[in-house]
Amino acid sequence: MKKIKLTIWGIAIVMAIVALAVILGKGNDDQADKYNTYMVKAEQTDNFTGVVQADQKHAVSDEPKTDDETLASSNVRNGEEVIKGQVLFTFYRDMSSEIASANLEIRQAQLAIQQLNTITDKNTDYQIELAKEQEALGDAQDKLNKLTKEQSRTVLAPTAGTYFKDSEGRSFVYGTPIIEGNVNEFSLDKIQTGKSVTVIKNNGDKIDGTYSSKDKIPYNNGAVSYYHFQVSTDETLTYGMHVQIQNATRGFKIPKAAIKSDDTVYVVKNNKKQRRVLDLTKYDNKYYVKKGIKAGDKLVLF
């Protein structure tokens, strides 16, 4: 009989413990459900693609212009950086006979002027002949200067950049590397000149950039219009590199109903409210924060 009573008491105690656990669990559920919450969503960013190109591209040539011209010197190597005005190539033409002829004309005019200056009666005929010989001397000197320039011709770098000669023998000077992308008419307002962006290189590295320009006229205006835009960076990128362009985010969006005074919000953790003070910014009647919370956090709505 005593054993039966002990068994009954044991069963009763176990049932009481179970009932208490249910009550406590229900109490916690009530605690969790007694206020509405908002789940923080991931930051929304605008992403575009771009490719690194030169802001300028100028053709240069190391080929002679005429049959009697030869390449005298080449002062640049493929892939070498150059500065504006740098001598890239020098060409030479053998114009010794033409130069000798011009020098002879100069000497003859000079002798004629000297002969005229010995005349004591400097009448009208003298003045006419002197002017004629002085004009001949000037023409001969201009001819000599022109021949001298033609004898030695130089090709200068039209801009600062990189010299490159392709497989077909064509030579160019590429200007400063910039990122060029394109955007359709529906996202054109997201490209704002002067706005900071994040550039993600093909190896995953991130660098800072800035929208430097965007077209006002579309390059393609079919069913949907498309526009070019450019991004500049402080880091020199490789021509032809493909990159991702990411607009700077405003942060996590916070509903007004989740904000108490002094930029305070309450985050639900383990069914309990935790007070946090955030550095909120307001944009277009919406609130944003960049740190202090993360995507997936639950905020109490008041």
Side-chain angles (χ1 to χ4, degrees):
M1 190 67 178
K2 188 175 181 180
K3 288 183 180 180
I4 293 174
K5 287 182 178 182
L6 289 174
T7 301
I8 293 173
W9 274 107
I11 294 172
I13 291 171
V14 171
M15 292 179 64
I17 292 172
V18 172
L20 181 60
V22 171
I23 293 172
L24 290 175
K26 188 175 185 304
N28 285 337
D29 290 341
D30 291 342
Q31 179 74 8
D33 296 336
K34 72 178 183 179
Y35 37 69
N36 295 322
T37 60
Y38 167 82
M39 181 175 289
V40 178
K41 298 178 176 62
E43 299 176 83
Q44 294 183 348
T45 59
D46 302 313
N47 293 281
F48 305 97
T49 59
V51 61
V52 180
Q53 299 182 1
D55 64 344
Q56 301 179 59
K57 179 182 177 182
H58 299 275
V60 293
S61 177
D62 60 355
E63 295 294 326
K65 283 187 174 182
T66 59
D67 292 338
D68 60 346
E69 185 178 69
T70 58
L71 178 64
S73 64
S74 178
N75 307 309
V76 64
R77 293 174 296 179
N78 202 16
E80 184 178 345
E81 292 188 6
V82 298
I83 60 175
K84 184 176 182 179
Q86 176 179 333
V87 177
L88 304 179
F89 312 111
T90 301
F91 296 89
Y92 176 77
R93 292 175 63 189
D94 184 5
M95 307 187 72
S96 55
S97 61
E98 291 92 336
I99 290 175
S101 176
N103 280 321
L104 179 59
E105 292 177 18
I106 291 173
R107 183 59 181 160
Q108 289 174 339
Q110 289 172 336
L111 289 173
I113 292 171
Q114 289 177 3
Q115 198 69 23
L116 287 170
N117 285 334
T118 61
I119 299 176
T120 56
D121 184 14
K122 294 181 172 56
N123 54 24
T124 303
D125 290 339
Y126 161 80
Q127 298 292 340
I128 292 174
E129 286 299 319
L130 180 61
K132 180 180 176 181
E133 294 300 332
Q134 286 175 334
E135 182 179 1
L137 176 60
D139 290 343
Q141 288 173 334
D142 290 341
K143 182 179 180 180
L144 178 62
N145 292 335
K146 183 178 179 181
L147 290 171
T148 301
K149 288 182 179 179
E150 290 178 355
Q151 180 177 250
S152 180
R153 180 174 66 89
T154 57
V155 175
L156 308 180
T159 187
T162 303
Y163 170 76
F164 178 72
K165 189 171 186 177
D166 63 22
S167 58
E168 298 180 6
R170 298 173 300 184
S171 298
F172 302 91
V173 173
Y174 289 83
T176 304
I178 52 93
I179 300 167
E180 184 170 287
N182 60 75
V183 61
N184 63 41
E185 59 186 284
F186 303 108
S187 299
L188 185 61
D189 60 336
K190 297 176 181 177
I191 309 298
Q192 299 179 16
T193 303
K195 183 178 180 181
S196 297
V197 296
T198 299
V199 176
I200 306 173
K201 299 195 294 185
N202 51 17
N203 62 359
D205 290 346
K206 296 182 179 181
I207 59 175
D208 295 330
T210 304
Y211 287 121
S212 53
S213 69
K214 69 176 178 180
D215 288 349
K216 293 182 179 179
I217 306 299
Y219 69 87
N220 182 326
N221 56 356
V224 177
S225 295
Y226 286 86
Y227 302 77
H228 291 300
F229 66 86
Q230 292 183 348
V231 173
S232 59
T233 63
D234 291 335
E235 181 176 328
T236 300
L237 301 176
T238 304
Y239 296 114
M241 177 186 290
H242 288 76
V243 298
Q244 296 293 317
I245 303 159
Q246 190 176 83
N247 280 359
T249 177
R250 296 190 183 97
F252 299 103
K253 187 166 69 173
I254 306 297
K256 186 176 181 180
I259 303 170
K260 296 287 282 185
S261 59
D262 300 325
D263 289 356
T264 300
V265 299
Y266 286 86
V267 181
V268 178
K269 289 289 186 180
N270 299 322
N271 293 317
K272 294 182 180 180
K273 295 188 297 183
Q274 296 181 355
R275 180 176 178 273
R276 292 186 189 173
V277 179
L278 306 177
D279 185 13
L280 297 174
T281 57
K282 188 177 182 181
Y283 180 82
D284 196 20
N285 291 323
K286 296 181 178 64
Y287 293 87
Y288 298 87
V289 66
K290 290 191 174 182
K291 59 182 180 179
I293 60 173
K294 63 181 184 299
D297 282 349
K298 290 183 178 180
L299 306 181
V300 177
L301 298 177
F302 297 96

